[in-house]
Amino acid sequence: MSLPGVRDDLVAASNDPEMVRFLETAWATLHERYRRDEFFPEVVYHGALRALIDEARTRFGQAVLIDMHSMPHDALSHLQGTRPDMVLGNRHGLSAAARISDAVSAAVEAEGWTLRRNAPFSGAYICSAYGRPAQNVHVVQLE
């Protein structure tokens, strides 16, 4: 299954066709499980997410989850000077190893975006619930 717009980004991010197939399948599986449960989507979502993290760790030795959020326009209004385009949260290093956070930061900045870390958003529930760098599960939030 190919997801419009997503597959090209995945291919650009990875030269490993197996990784691309895994990510496409993971997205489709998560979406389908979420779609099927009308009454308790959060239970289905978190069960599917846990299963995908476990599968990634088994297949690749680690799991990297980037939790994307939208940032309220006024969230950075208190800052003096230039405001960043994005905020990367890693719970001050508790939800992702420095090498993962650094790699995500470098990728964001390579695209011309400005970035700030852990303020005002240091990572919400997904980072806290799933980020376990010592167990090779790395979670960063991009707001």
Side-chain angles (χ1 to χ4, degrees):
M1 169 178 196
S2 183
L3 301 170
V6 173
R7 187 177 194 293
D8 292 340
D9 292 342
L10 294 174
V11 170
S14 173
N15 291 327
D16 182 353
E18 182 181 352
M19 177 64 84
V20 172
R21 283 190 302 277
F22 170 75
L23 293 172
E24 286 181 334
T25 302
W27 172 259
T29 300
L30 186 59
H31 180 73
E32 178 59 24
R33 289 177 182 172
Y34 184 84
R35 186 192 66 73
R36 279 188 279 163
D37 192 306
E38 298 176 41
F39 300 109
F40 301 104
E42 66 280 355
V43 173
V44 172
Y45 174 84
H46 287 288
L49 185 56
R50 170 55 52 210
L52 292 169
I53 288 170
D54 291 345
E55 183 179 350
R57 275 187 52 211
T58 298
R59 290 181 68 185
F60 303 106
Q62 68 177 351
V64 177
L65 172 61
I66 301 174
D67 185 26
M68 304 293 289
H69 287 230
S70 59
M71 183 169 31
H73 184 318
D74 62 349
L76 303 177
S77 61
H78 66 284
L79 297 177
Q80 300 295 322
T82 305
R83 297 179 189 150
D85 297 309
M86 294 184 204
V87 176
L88 182 145
N90 65 5
R91 305 209 40 91
H92 302 278
L94 297 177
S95 68
R99 66 182 173 78
I100 301 296
S101 297
D102 292 346
V104 173
S105 293
V108 166
E109 291 168 342
E111 293 299 318
W113 298 97
T114 57
L115 188 72
R116 182 178 175 138
R117 287 198 188 190
N118 291 310
F121 308 107
S122 65
Y125 178 79
I126 297 293
C127 286
S128 177
Y130 296 100
R132 301 287 182 270
Q135 298 170 12
N136 287 321
V137 178
H138 308 276
V139 182
V140 297
Q141 175 178 304
L142 278 180
E143 187 92 29

